[in-house]
Amino acid sequence: MPHSPALLVIDMQNSLVAIAHRAAETVAVIAGLRERARAAGVPVVTIQHRGNGMEAGTEGWQIVPDLAPATDEQVVHKTSADSFLDTHLDKTLTALGVTEVVVTGFATEICVDTTARQALSHRYDVVLVADGHTTSVRPDSGDYVRPGQSIAHHNEIYRHIDFPGRSIRVLPASEVDFADPSVLRARDGAVGASP
């Protein structure tokens, strides 16, 4: 099967972006990726969470304006951290002929991580965009690590995770080349390597 990527934009919704670390920077990175993906004819799939405090149709549930899906883009609604669980995401990707997902969004250690791992289990290759995912701002005290550390930690995990038969890459947005998707899979010929 020919290599074919899709860009996943996970939970970039008003209520969540309002509490996100480096929100404006992350939105700008993803917006740039969306523009480049669309220009290259690569599908963009927006994931939208619904749940307590995130009721469908409310302002907080809406996708942030800079990332609002176009009318010809797929939107998948979910109710858990796993974008594949009880959704049509796998069916959508299969129908689009996708073999690799380029993962962005909120929150790094919850929905982004869970969805990326489930993508591997569903036999998709994964590119985690190093500067295209974020997590919530949190106090310096407490059991959570600081947001920047969490993002760096997950990037490092994905640089070294081993998943037989799958290509796993961590790339900054500037190195994601939708015009030449083979770059996504085979750059430097290394699975799990990073620039």
Side-chain angles (χ1 to χ4, degrees), residues 34-98:
R34 281 186 79 252
E35 184 177 317
R36 287 165 36 211
R38 288 182 56 79
V42 169
V44 177
V45 179
T46 299
I47 314 295
Q48 192 170 24
H49 188 78
R50 179 174 45 87
N52 197 13
M54 299 281 293
E55 288 78 15
T58 63
E59 182 64 25
W61 175 80
Q62 300 294 332
I63 303 297
V64 295
D66 289 351
L67 301 177
T71 55
D72 62 339
E73 291 177 2
Q74 297 289 324
V75 178
V76 173
H77 298 101
K78 69 178 182 65
T79 56
S80 76
D82 178 358
S83 299
F84 287 90
L85 181 65
D86 298 328
T87 73
H88 64 275
L89 179 57
D90 190 39
K91 196 175 288 187
T92 296
L93 296 174
T94 299
L96 292 168
V98 170

Side-chain angles (χ1 to χ4, degrees), residues 10-12 16-17 19-20 104-108 111-112 133-136:
I10 302 170
D11 297 354
M12 294 300 287
L16 301 176
V17 172
I19 61 168
T104 67
F106 183 93
T108 296
C111 299
V112 170
H133 62 98
T134 191
T135 191
S136 58

Side-chain angles (χ1 to χ4, degrees), residues 100-113:
E100 177 168 70
V101 291
V102 179
V103 180
T104 67
F106 183 93
T108 296
E109 59 281 277
I110 305 172
C111 299
V112 170
D113 179 53

